Short mmCIF file of all heavy atoms in Angstrom, two decimals:
data_model
loop_
_atom_site.label_atom_id
_atom_site.label_comp_id
_atom_site.label_asym_id
_atom_site.label_seq_id
_atom_site.Cartn_x
_atom_site.Cartn_y
_atom_site.Cartn_z
N ILE A 1037 -1.13 -93.01 124.47
CA ILE A 1037 -2.36 -93.76 124.67
C ILE A 1037 -2.82 -93.53 126.13
O ILE A 1037 -2.06 -93.76 127.05
CB ILE A 1037 -2.12 -95.22 124.38
CG1 ILE A 1037 -1.69 -95.39 122.91
CG2 ILE A 1037 -3.33 -96.05 124.70
CD1 ILE A 1037 -1.30 -96.66 122.48
N GLY A 1038 -4.10 -93.07 126.22
CA GLY A 1038 -4.67 -92.76 127.54
C GLY A 1038 -5.13 -93.82 128.39
O GLY A 1038 -5.54 -94.93 127.86
N ILE A 1039 -5.13 -93.66 129.66
CA ILE A 1039 -5.70 -94.60 130.62
C ILE A 1039 -6.78 -93.89 131.41
O ILE A 1039 -6.52 -92.77 131.85
CB ILE A 1039 -4.63 -95.16 131.60
CG1 ILE A 1039 -3.41 -95.68 130.88
CG2 ILE A 1039 -5.20 -96.11 132.60
CD1 ILE A 1039 -3.67 -97.05 130.20
N ASP A 1040 -7.95 -94.46 131.61
CA ASP A 1040 -9.00 -93.82 132.32
C ASP A 1040 -8.78 -93.94 133.89
O ASP A 1040 -7.84 -94.63 134.28
CB ASP A 1040 -10.38 -94.18 131.90
CG ASP A 1040 -10.75 -95.63 132.29
OD1 ASP A 1040 -10.04 -96.28 133.12
OD2 ASP A 1040 -11.79 -96.09 131.74
N GLU A 1041 -9.70 -93.42 134.66
CA GLU A 1041 -9.48 -93.43 136.07
C GLU A 1041 -9.58 -94.82 136.69
O GLU A 1041 -8.97 -95.02 137.71
CB GLU A 1041 -10.55 -92.50 136.72
CG GLU A 1041 -10.44 -91.05 136.43
CD GLU A 1041 -11.42 -90.16 137.08
OE1 GLU A 1041 -12.21 -90.67 137.84
OE2 GLU A 1041 -11.51 -88.97 136.69
N GLU A 1042 -10.23 -95.75 136.04
CA GLU A 1042 -10.30 -97.09 136.51
C GLU A 1042 -9.05 -97.91 136.08
O GLU A 1042 -8.98 -99.05 136.36
CB GLU A 1042 -11.59 -97.88 136.12
CG GLU A 1042 -12.80 -97.43 136.91
CD GLU A 1042 -13.50 -96.22 136.31
OE1 GLU A 1042 -13.56 -96.15 135.05
OE2 GLU A 1042 -13.89 -95.31 137.07
N GLY A 1043 -8.12 -97.34 135.30
CA GLY A 1043 -6.98 -98.03 134.88
C GLY A 1043 -7.18 -98.73 133.57
O GLY A 1043 -6.36 -99.49 133.14
N GLU A 1044 -8.37 -98.56 132.91
CA GLU A 1044 -8.63 -99.20 131.63
C GLU A 1044 -8.09 -98.40 130.48
O GLU A 1044 -8.17 -97.17 130.55
CB GLU A 1044 -10.16 -99.42 131.51
CG GLU A 1044 -10.72 -100.38 132.41
CD GLU A 1044 -12.15 -100.64 132.21
OE1 GLU A 1044 -12.63 -100.52 131.10
OE2 GLU A 1044 -12.92 -100.94 133.24
N THR A 1045 -7.62 -99.07 129.43
CA THR A 1045 -7.16 -98.37 128.27
C THR A 1045 -8.30 -97.67 127.57
O THR A 1045 -9.38 -98.14 127.47
CB THR A 1045 -6.36 -99.30 127.29
OG1 THR A 1045 -5.94 -98.49 126.23
CG2 THR A 1045 -7.24 -100.40 126.85
N LEU A 1046 -7.99 -96.46 127.00
CA LEU A 1046 -8.97 -95.73 126.28
C LEU A 1046 -8.84 -96.17 124.80
O LEU A 1046 -9.59 -95.62 123.98
CB LEU A 1046 -8.80 -94.23 126.45
CG LEU A 1046 -8.91 -93.78 127.86
CD1 LEU A 1046 -8.70 -92.31 127.94
CD2 LEU A 1046 -10.37 -94.06 128.35
N LEU A 1047 -7.85 -96.91 124.46
CA LEU A 1047 -7.64 -97.27 122.99
C LEU A 1047 -8.51 -98.56 122.73
O LEU A 1047 -8.37 -99.53 123.36
CB LEU A 1047 -6.13 -97.61 122.77
CG LEU A 1047 -5.85 -98.09 121.31
CD1 LEU A 1047 -6.09 -96.96 120.37
CD2 LEU A 1047 -4.43 -98.58 121.25
N LYS A 1048 -9.36 -98.34 121.74
CA LYS A 1048 -10.20 -99.38 121.26
C LYS A 1048 -10.19 -99.35 119.74
O LYS A 1048 -10.00 -98.31 119.16
CB LYS A 1048 -11.63 -99.24 121.80
CG LYS A 1048 -11.69 -99.17 123.36
CD LYS A 1048 -13.00 -99.69 123.87
CE LYS A 1048 -13.04 -99.60 125.41
NZ LYS A 1048 -12.12 -100.21 126.15
N ALA A 1049 -10.47 -100.51 119.17
CA ALA A 1049 -10.52 -100.66 117.71
C ALA A 1049 -11.94 -100.92 117.28
O ALA A 1049 -12.61 -101.71 117.96
CB ALA A 1049 -9.59 -101.78 117.23
N TYR A 1050 -12.39 -100.33 116.21
CA TYR A 1050 -13.72 -100.58 115.68
C TYR A 1050 -13.67 -100.43 114.15
O TYR A 1050 -12.95 -99.59 113.71
CB TYR A 1050 -14.75 -99.61 116.30
CG TYR A 1050 -14.52 -98.16 116.04
CD1 TYR A 1050 -15.19 -97.54 114.91
CD2 TYR A 1050 -13.65 -97.44 116.79
CE1 TYR A 1050 -14.93 -96.15 114.66
CE2 TYR A 1050 -13.41 -96.06 116.57
CZ TYR A 1050 -14.06 -95.50 115.49
OH TYR A 1050 -13.86 -94.11 115.23
N PRO A 1051 -14.49 -101.06 113.41
CA PRO A 1051 -15.27 -102.24 113.82
C PRO A 1051 -14.28 -103.39 114.14
O PRO A 1051 -13.19 -103.41 113.59
CB PRO A 1051 -16.11 -102.63 112.62
CG PRO A 1051 -15.39 -102.12 111.49
CD PRO A 1051 -14.61 -100.88 111.93
N ASN A 1052 -14.67 -104.26 115.05
CA ASN A 1052 -13.88 -105.37 115.41
C ASN A 1052 -14.76 -106.53 115.70
O ASN A 1052 -15.47 -106.59 116.65
CB ASN A 1052 -13.01 -105.08 116.70
CG ASN A 1052 -11.87 -106.04 116.86
OD1 ASN A 1052 -11.73 -106.94 116.10
ND2 ASN A 1052 -11.19 -105.86 118.01
N PRO A 1053 -14.92 -107.47 114.71
CA PRO A 1053 -13.99 -107.74 113.62
C PRO A 1053 -14.05 -106.76 112.48
O PRO A 1053 -15.04 -106.07 112.30
CB PRO A 1053 -14.46 -109.17 113.18
CG PRO A 1053 -15.75 -109.40 113.67
CD PRO A 1053 -16.00 -108.45 114.82
N VAL A 1054 -12.99 -106.73 111.75
CA VAL A 1054 -12.78 -105.71 110.62
C VAL A 1054 -12.67 -106.46 109.30
O VAL A 1054 -12.14 -107.53 109.26
CB VAL A 1054 -11.53 -104.87 110.94
CG1 VAL A 1054 -10.28 -105.69 111.02
CG2 VAL A 1054 -11.43 -103.75 109.88
N VAL A 1055 -13.22 -105.85 108.26
CA VAL A 1055 -13.06 -106.38 106.93
C VAL A 1055 -11.90 -105.65 106.19
O VAL A 1055 -11.00 -106.32 105.68
CB VAL A 1055 -14.37 -106.21 106.06
CG1 VAL A 1055 -14.19 -106.70 104.68
CG2 VAL A 1055 -15.45 -107.01 106.76
N ASP A 1056 -11.95 -104.36 106.12
CA ASP A 1056 -10.86 -103.58 105.42
C ASP A 1056 -10.15 -102.59 106.29
O ASP A 1056 -9.03 -102.72 106.57
CB ASP A 1056 -11.51 -102.83 104.19
CG ASP A 1056 -11.89 -103.79 103.11
OD1 ASP A 1056 -11.28 -104.80 102.90
OD2 ASP A 1056 -12.97 -103.49 102.51
N VAL A 1057 -10.90 -101.53 106.77
CA VAL A 1057 -10.28 -100.47 107.50
C VAL A 1057 -10.71 -100.51 108.94
O VAL A 1057 -11.90 -100.53 109.25
CB VAL A 1057 -10.57 -99.06 106.88
CG1 VAL A 1057 -10.00 -97.95 107.70
CG2 VAL A 1057 -10.11 -98.98 105.46
N VAL A 1058 -9.75 -100.50 109.87
CA VAL A 1058 -10.00 -100.45 111.32
C VAL A 1058 -9.68 -99.06 111.79
O VAL A 1058 -8.79 -98.39 111.31
CB VAL A 1058 -9.24 -101.48 112.06
CG1 VAL A 1058 -7.68 -101.20 111.94
CG2 VAL A 1058 -9.61 -101.55 113.52
N HIS A 1059 -10.49 -98.52 112.69
CA HIS A 1059 -10.38 -97.21 113.19
C HIS A 1059 -10.06 -97.33 114.73
O HIS A 1059 -10.47 -98.32 115.39
CB HIS A 1059 -11.62 -96.39 113.07
CG HIS A 1059 -12.01 -96.21 111.63
ND1 HIS A 1059 -11.49 -95.19 110.86
CD2 HIS A 1059 -12.83 -96.92 110.82
CE1 HIS A 1059 -12.01 -95.31 109.68
NE2 HIS A 1059 -12.82 -96.36 109.63
N PHE A 1060 -9.37 -96.42 115.29
CA PHE A 1060 -8.96 -96.33 116.68
C PHE A 1060 -9.56 -95.15 117.41
O PHE A 1060 -9.72 -94.11 116.77
CB PHE A 1060 -7.48 -96.35 116.83
CG PHE A 1060 -6.81 -97.49 116.08
CD1 PHE A 1060 -6.19 -97.30 114.86
CD2 PHE A 1060 -6.93 -98.81 116.54
CE1 PHE A 1060 -5.60 -98.38 114.21
CE2 PHE A 1060 -6.35 -99.87 115.84
CZ PHE A 1060 -5.74 -99.64 114.70
N THR A 1061 -9.85 -95.33 118.68
CA THR A 1061 -10.39 -94.22 119.48
C THR A 1061 -9.33 -93.15 119.80
O THR A 1061 -9.74 -92.11 120.23
CB THR A 1061 -11.03 -94.75 120.74
OG1 THR A 1061 -10.06 -95.53 121.43
CG2 THR A 1061 -12.27 -95.59 120.47
N GLN A 1062 -8.09 -93.45 119.60
CA GLN A 1062 -7.01 -92.51 119.74
C GLN A 1062 -6.02 -92.71 118.65
O GLN A 1062 -5.97 -93.78 118.04
CB GLN A 1062 -6.29 -92.74 121.04
CG GLN A 1062 -7.08 -92.42 122.29
CD GLN A 1062 -6.25 -92.51 123.62
OE1 GLN A 1062 -5.01 -92.50 123.49
NE2 GLN A 1062 -6.89 -92.65 124.69
N GLU A 1063 -5.25 -91.73 118.45
CA GLU A 1063 -4.13 -91.84 117.43
C GLU A 1063 -3.11 -92.84 117.95
O GLU A 1063 -2.67 -92.79 119.14
CB GLU A 1063 -3.47 -90.52 117.17
CG GLU A 1063 -2.48 -90.60 116.06
CD GLU A 1063 -2.04 -89.16 115.58
OE1 GLU A 1063 -2.67 -88.22 115.95
OE2 GLU A 1063 -1.00 -89.16 114.85
N VAL A 1064 -2.67 -93.72 117.10
CA VAL A 1064 -1.57 -94.67 117.38
C VAL A 1064 -0.34 -94.22 116.73
O VAL A 1064 -0.35 -93.89 115.58
CB VAL A 1064 -1.94 -96.10 116.85
CG1 VAL A 1064 -0.89 -97.11 117.09
CG2 VAL A 1064 -3.28 -96.61 117.53
N ASN A 1065 0.74 -94.24 117.51
CA ASN A 1065 2.04 -93.82 116.93
C ASN A 1065 3.08 -94.97 117.19
O ASN A 1065 3.31 -95.35 118.37
CB ASN A 1065 2.55 -92.55 117.62
CG ASN A 1065 1.76 -91.33 117.20
OD1 ASN A 1065 1.60 -91.13 116.04
ND2 ASN A 1065 1.21 -90.65 118.19
N GLY A 1066 3.66 -95.49 116.14
CA GLY A 1066 4.63 -96.55 116.21
C GLY A 1066 4.08 -97.89 116.70
O GLY A 1066 4.82 -98.66 117.25
N GLY A 1067 2.74 -98.15 116.45
CA GLY A 1067 2.13 -99.43 116.82
C GLY A 1067 2.60 -100.52 115.86
O GLY A 1067 2.84 -100.26 114.64
N ILE A 1068 2.79 -101.66 116.33
CA ILE A 1068 3.20 -102.79 115.46
C ILE A 1068 2.05 -103.88 115.55
O ILE A 1068 1.58 -104.16 116.66
CB ILE A 1068 4.51 -103.45 115.93
CG1 ILE A 1068 5.63 -102.41 116.03
CG2 ILE A 1068 4.83 -104.64 115.00
CD1 ILE A 1068 6.07 -101.87 114.65
N LEU A 1069 1.63 -104.35 114.41
CA LEU A 1069 0.62 -105.31 114.30
C LEU A 1069 1.32 -106.71 114.07
O LEU A 1069 2.06 -106.84 113.15
CB LEU A 1069 -0.39 -105.04 113.12
CG LEU A 1069 -1.63 -105.81 113.12
CD1 LEU A 1069 -2.52 -105.50 114.34
CD2 LEU A 1069 -2.44 -105.54 111.85
N TYR A 1070 0.97 -107.64 114.96
CA TYR A 1070 1.61 -108.99 114.86
C TYR A 1070 0.50 -110.01 114.48
O TYR A 1070 -0.60 -109.92 114.97
CB TYR A 1070 2.16 -109.34 116.23
CG TYR A 1070 3.30 -108.46 116.66
CD1 TYR A 1070 3.08 -107.39 117.46
CD2 TYR A 1070 4.58 -108.77 116.27
CE1 TYR A 1070 4.06 -106.62 117.88
CE2 TYR A 1070 5.67 -107.95 116.64
CZ TYR A 1070 5.39 -106.79 117.52
OH TYR A 1070 6.40 -106.07 117.89
N ASP A 1071 0.92 -111.03 113.72
CA ASP A 1071 -0.04 -112.12 113.49
C ASP A 1071 0.11 -113.12 114.61
O ASP A 1071 0.91 -112.96 115.56
CB ASP A 1071 0.29 -112.77 112.05
CG ASP A 1071 1.61 -113.44 111.94
OD1 ASP A 1071 2.30 -113.67 113.00
OD2 ASP A 1071 2.04 -113.73 110.85
N MET A 1072 -0.60 -114.23 114.42
CA MET A 1072 -0.68 -115.24 115.57
C MET A 1072 0.68 -115.96 115.76
O MET A 1072 0.90 -116.50 116.90
CB MET A 1072 -1.76 -116.26 115.39
CG MET A 1072 -3.16 -115.65 115.55
SD MET A 1072 -3.45 -114.81 117.18
CE MET A 1072 -3.24 -116.21 118.25
N SER A 1073 1.56 -115.96 114.85
CA SER A 1073 2.86 -116.58 114.98
C SER A 1073 3.86 -115.67 115.63
O SER A 1073 4.99 -116.04 115.91
CB SER A 1073 3.36 -117.10 113.65
OG SER A 1073 3.72 -115.97 112.84
N GLY A 1074 3.45 -114.42 115.84
CA GLY A 1074 4.35 -113.40 116.46
C GLY A 1074 5.12 -112.62 115.43
O GLY A 1074 5.97 -111.82 115.82
N LYS A 1075 4.78 -112.85 114.14
CA LYS A 1075 5.54 -112.04 113.15
C LYS A 1075 4.94 -110.69 112.96
O LYS A 1075 3.75 -110.51 112.84
CB LYS A 1075 5.43 -112.84 111.82
CG LYS A 1075 6.08 -112.10 110.64
CD LYS A 1075 5.88 -112.94 109.33
CE LYS A 1075 6.34 -112.11 108.17
NZ LYS A 1075 5.93 -112.77 106.97
N ALA A 1076 5.80 -109.59 112.94
CA ALA A 1076 5.30 -108.27 112.73
C ALA A 1076 4.91 -108.20 111.26
O ALA A 1076 5.68 -108.45 110.36
CB ALA A 1076 6.46 -107.32 113.05
N VAL A 1077 3.67 -107.73 111.06
CA VAL A 1077 3.11 -107.69 109.67
C VAL A 1077 2.96 -106.28 109.17
O VAL A 1077 2.93 -106.07 107.93
CB VAL A 1077 1.84 -108.46 109.51
CG1 VAL A 1077 2.07 -109.94 109.68
CG2 VAL A 1077 0.71 -107.96 110.51
N MET A 1078 2.86 -105.27 110.07
CA MET A 1078 2.79 -103.83 109.61
C MET A 1078 2.97 -102.94 110.74
O MET A 1078 2.68 -103.28 111.92
CB MET A 1078 1.52 -103.60 108.87
CG MET A 1078 0.24 -103.54 109.61
SD MET A 1078 -1.27 -103.25 108.70
CE MET A 1078 -1.04 -101.54 108.17
N GLU A 1079 3.42 -101.66 110.49
CA GLU A 1079 3.48 -100.64 111.43
C GLU A 1079 2.26 -99.79 111.30
O GLU A 1079 1.74 -99.57 110.22
CB GLU A 1079 4.69 -99.73 111.26
CG GLU A 1079 4.86 -98.68 112.29
CD GLU A 1079 6.20 -97.94 112.16
OE1 GLU A 1079 7.06 -98.33 111.48
OE2 GLU A 1079 6.26 -96.93 112.83
N ILE A 1080 1.66 -99.38 112.43
CA ILE A 1080 0.47 -98.55 112.41
C ILE A 1080 0.82 -97.21 112.99
O ILE A 1080 1.26 -97.09 114.17
CB ILE A 1080 -0.71 -99.30 113.17
CG1 ILE A 1080 -1.09 -100.62 112.41
CG2 ILE A 1080 -1.88 -98.35 113.33
CD1 ILE A 1080 -2.16 -101.37 112.98
N ASN A 1081 0.35 -96.20 112.28
CA ASN A 1081 0.45 -94.76 112.76
C ASN A 1081 -0.83 -94.05 112.29
O ASN A 1081 -1.20 -94.22 111.18
CB ASN A 1081 1.67 -94.04 112.15
CG ASN A 1081 2.96 -94.59 112.67
OD1 ASN A 1081 3.29 -94.47 113.87
ND2 ASN A 1081 3.74 -95.23 111.85
N GLY A 1082 -1.52 -93.38 113.22
CA GLY A 1082 -2.67 -92.60 112.93
C GLY A 1082 -3.92 -93.14 113.63
O GLY A 1082 -3.81 -94.03 114.53
N GLU A 1083 -5.08 -92.70 113.19
CA GLU A 1083 -6.35 -93.09 113.78
C GLU A 1083 -7.05 -94.24 113.02
O GLU A 1083 -8.18 -94.56 113.39
CB GLU A 1083 -7.23 -91.83 113.92
CG GLU A 1083 -6.68 -90.79 114.85
CD GLU A 1083 -7.53 -89.60 115.07
OE1 GLU A 1083 -8.59 -89.53 114.42
OE2 GLU A 1083 -7.16 -88.73 115.81
N SER A 1084 -6.47 -94.69 111.93
CA SER A 1084 -7.03 -95.82 111.22
C SER A 1084 -5.95 -96.55 110.43
O SER A 1084 -4.83 -96.00 110.28
CB SER A 1084 -8.12 -95.33 110.18
OG SER A 1084 -7.55 -94.48 109.21
N ALA A 1085 -6.31 -97.80 110.00
CA ALA A 1085 -5.33 -98.54 109.22
C ALA A 1085 -6.12 -99.43 108.29
O ALA A 1085 -7.10 -100.02 108.67
CB ALA A 1085 -4.49 -99.45 110.20
N ASN A 1086 -5.55 -99.55 107.05
CA ASN A 1086 -6.16 -100.41 106.07
C ASN A 1086 -5.52 -101.78 106.18
O ASN A 1086 -4.33 -102.04 105.99
CB ASN A 1086 -5.86 -99.86 104.67
CG ASN A 1086 -6.60 -100.61 103.55
OD1 ASN A 1086 -7.01 -101.73 103.74
ND2 ASN A 1086 -6.80 -99.99 102.43
N LEU A 1087 -6.36 -102.81 106.60
CA LEU A 1087 -5.89 -104.16 106.75
C LEU A 1087 -6.36 -105.07 105.65
O LEU A 1087 -6.25 -106.30 105.73
CB LEU A 1087 -6.45 -104.69 108.08
CG LEU A 1087 -6.18 -103.82 109.36
CD1 LEU A 1087 -6.69 -104.62 110.55
CD2 LEU A 1087 -4.69 -103.54 109.44
N SER A 1088 -6.86 -104.51 104.49
CA SER A 1088 -7.44 -105.33 103.45
C SER A 1088 -6.44 -106.32 102.87
O SER A 1088 -6.92 -107.39 102.37
CB SER A 1088 -8.01 -104.38 102.36
OG SER A 1088 -7.08 -103.65 101.78
N HIS A 1089 -5.20 -105.98 102.88
CA HIS A 1089 -4.16 -106.91 102.30
C HIS A 1089 -3.78 -108.08 103.24
O HIS A 1089 -3.11 -108.98 102.83
CB HIS A 1089 -2.92 -106.14 102.01
CG HIS A 1089 -2.27 -105.58 103.20
ND1 HIS A 1089 -2.69 -104.49 103.91
CD2 HIS A 1089 -1.09 -105.99 103.87
CE1 HIS A 1089 -1.87 -104.18 104.94
NE2 HIS A 1089 -0.97 -105.11 104.93
N LEU A 1090 -4.32 -108.06 104.47
CA LEU A 1090 -3.98 -109.18 105.40
C LEU A 1090 -4.99 -110.36 105.32
O LEU A 1090 -6.09 -110.18 104.92
CB LEU A 1090 -4.02 -108.59 106.86
CG LEU A 1090 -2.98 -107.56 107.19
CD1 LEU A 1090 -3.21 -107.08 108.65
CD2 LEU A 1090 -1.57 -107.99 106.96
N SER A 1091 -4.48 -111.52 105.63
CA SER A 1091 -5.31 -112.74 105.64
C SER A 1091 -6.26 -112.64 106.88
O SER A 1091 -5.93 -112.00 107.85
CB SER A 1091 -4.51 -113.94 105.78
OG SER A 1091 -3.56 -114.05 104.68
N ARG A 1092 -7.30 -113.43 106.73
CA ARG A 1092 -8.29 -113.56 107.89
C ARG A 1092 -7.49 -114.06 109.08
O ARG A 1092 -6.55 -115.01 108.96
CB ARG A 1092 -9.39 -114.50 107.58
CG ARG A 1092 -10.24 -114.09 106.46
CD ARG A 1092 -11.29 -115.20 106.13
NE ARG A 1092 -12.58 -114.52 106.15
CZ ARG A 1092 -13.71 -115.18 106.34
NH1 ARG A 1092 -13.68 -116.46 106.49
NH2 ARG A 1092 -14.79 -114.51 106.35
N GLY A 1093 -7.90 -113.65 110.27
CA GLY A 1093 -7.20 -114.18 111.54
C GLY A 1093 -7.20 -113.15 112.58
O GLY A 1093 -7.68 -112.08 112.47
N LEU A 1094 -6.58 -113.61 113.68
CA LEU A 1094 -6.44 -112.73 114.85
C LEU A 1094 -5.08 -112.08 114.88
O LEU A 1094 -4.06 -112.76 114.66
CB LEU A 1094 -6.61 -113.63 116.15
CG LEU A 1094 -6.74 -112.87 117.45
CD1 LEU A 1094 -7.93 -111.89 117.45
CD2 LEU A 1094 -6.83 -113.80 118.57
N TYR A 1095 -5.04 -110.79 115.10
CA TYR A 1095 -3.83 -110.00 115.13
C TYR A 1095 -3.78 -109.26 116.44
O TYR A 1095 -4.77 -108.98 117.06
CB TYR A 1095 -3.80 -108.98 113.97
CG TYR A 1095 -3.72 -109.67 112.61
CD1 TYR A 1095 -4.91 -110.14 111.98
CD2 TYR A 1095 -2.50 -109.83 112.02
CE1 TYR A 1095 -4.86 -110.73 110.75
CE2 TYR A 1095 -2.42 -110.47 110.79
CZ TYR A 1095 -3.57 -110.92 110.17
OH TYR A 1095 -3.52 -111.53 108.97
N THR A 1096 -2.52 -108.92 116.88
CA THR A 1096 -2.35 -108.22 118.10
C THR A 1096 -1.66 -106.90 117.75
O THR A 1096 -0.56 -106.95 117.12
CB THR A 1096 -1.51 -109.02 119.11
OG1 THR A 1096 -2.21 -110.21 119.41
CG2 THR A 1096 -1.31 -108.19 120.41
N LEU A 1097 -2.20 -105.80 118.14
CA LEU A 1097 -1.57 -104.53 118.03
C LEU A 1097 -0.90 -104.15 119.28
O LEU A 1097 -1.46 -104.25 120.37
CB LEU A 1097 -2.67 -103.34 117.80
CG LEU A 1097 -2.10 -101.99 117.78
CD1 LEU A 1097 -1.08 -101.73 116.71
CD2 LEU A 1097 -3.26 -100.98 117.62
N SER A 1098 0.42 -103.89 119.20
CA SER A 1098 1.20 -103.47 120.35
C SER A 1098 1.68 -102.10 120.16
O SER A 1098 2.32 -101.77 119.13
CB SER A 1098 2.42 -104.42 120.43
OG SER A 1098 3.26 -104.07 121.58
N ALA A 1099 1.27 -101.24 121.11
CA ALA A 1099 1.67 -99.73 121.11
C ALA A 1099 2.09 -99.41 122.47
O ALA A 1099 1.28 -99.21 123.36
CB ALA A 1099 0.45 -98.94 120.58
N GLY A 1100 3.37 -99.27 122.67
CA GLY A 1100 3.89 -98.99 124.00
C GLY A 1100 3.55 -100.14 124.90
O GLY A 1100 3.87 -101.29 124.66
N ASP A 1101 2.93 -99.87 126.00
CA ASP A 1101 2.58 -100.91 126.95
C ASP A 1101 1.11 -101.40 126.81
O ASP A 1101 0.60 -102.16 127.68
CB ASP A 1101 2.84 -100.45 128.43
CG ASP A 1101 2.00 -99.31 128.81
OD1 ASP A 1101 1.35 -98.65 127.89
OD2 ASP A 1101 1.96 -98.94 130.04
N ILE A 1102 0.49 -101.07 125.68
CA ILE A 1102 -0.89 -101.50 125.40
C ILE A 1102 -0.85 -102.56 124.35
O ILE A 1102 -0.19 -102.41 123.34
CB ILE A 1102 -1.71 -100.28 124.89
CG1 ILE A 1102 -1.70 -99.18 125.87
CG2 ILE A 1102 -3.08 -100.66 124.53
CD1 ILE A 1102 -2.38 -99.38 127.19
N SER A 1103 -1.73 -103.57 124.56
CA SER A 1103 -1.87 -104.61 123.50
C SER A 1103 -3.39 -104.70 123.27
O SER A 1103 -4.18 -104.63 124.18
CB SER A 1103 -1.40 -106.00 124.01
OG SER A 1103 -0.01 -106.01 124.05
N LEU A 1104 -3.74 -104.90 121.99
CA LEU A 1104 -5.17 -104.83 121.60
C LEU A 1104 -5.30 -105.89 120.55
O LEU A 1104 -4.53 -105.92 119.58
CB LEU A 1104 -5.47 -103.46 121.01
CG LEU A 1104 -6.88 -103.22 120.58
CD1 LEU A 1104 -7.84 -103.25 121.77
CD2 LEU A 1104 -6.95 -101.84 119.86
N GLN A 1105 -6.30 -106.80 120.69
CA GLN A 1105 -6.55 -107.78 119.72
C GLN A 1105 -7.57 -107.32 118.63
O GLN A 1105 -8.52 -106.72 119.03
CB GLN A 1105 -7.02 -109.11 120.35
CG GLN A 1105 -5.91 -109.83 121.12
CD GLN A 1105 -6.24 -111.16 121.54
OE1 GLN A 1105 -7.44 -111.47 121.72
NE2 GLN A 1105 -5.26 -112.05 121.59
N ILE A 1106 -7.19 -107.64 117.39
CA ILE A 1106 -8.11 -107.23 116.26
C ILE A 1106 -8.35 -108.52 115.41
O ILE A 1106 -7.45 -109.20 115.05
CB ILE A 1106 -7.42 -106.24 115.36
CG1 ILE A 1106 -7.12 -104.95 116.24
CG2 ILE A 1106 -8.21 -105.90 114.12
CD1 ILE A 1106 -6.25 -103.94 115.55
N LEU A 1107 -9.61 -108.82 115.17
CA LEU A 1107 -10.01 -109.98 114.34
C LEU A 1107 -10.27 -109.50 112.92
O LEU A 1107 -11.12 -108.64 112.71
CB LEU A 1107 -11.23 -110.59 114.93
CG LEU A 1107 -11.76 -111.82 114.19
CD1 LEU A 1107 -10.68 -112.92 114.19
CD2 LEU A 1107 -13.02 -112.28 114.82
N LYS A 1108 -9.50 -109.98 111.93
CA LYS A 1108 -9.64 -109.71 110.54
C LYS A 1108 -10.48 -110.72 109.91
O LYS A 1108 -10.29 -111.89 109.92
CB LYS A 1108 -8.31 -109.57 109.89
CG LYS A 1108 -8.27 -109.55 108.38
CD LYS A 1108 -8.77 -108.24 107.93
CE LYS A 1108 -8.49 -107.97 106.38
NZ LYS A 1108 -9.32 -108.82 105.48
N GLN A 1109 -11.60 -110.28 109.23
CA GLN A 1109 -12.51 -111.22 108.53
C GLN A 1109 -12.11 -111.27 107.05
O GLN A 1109 -11.72 -110.30 106.46
CB GLN A 1109 -13.95 -110.77 108.68
CG GLN A 1109 -14.46 -111.08 110.04
CD GLN A 1109 -15.94 -110.87 110.13
OE1 GLN A 1109 -16.51 -110.05 109.43
NE2 GLN A 1109 -16.58 -111.52 111.07
#
């Protein structure tokens, strides 16, 4: 996962909020998606992920030292 010259992560999720499939600006390898209680709900690998089976709410993607919040509608 890349970092730009200002130290900001280049990994972003779109659309965010997401209804079904979320896409990432970079490939994610071994990312873990956590719900608000901290429970791991799925592993994410690739440039997109199907979240249609998840309940509405706020999730956190953790990939290495990067954390990214994703709102599921």
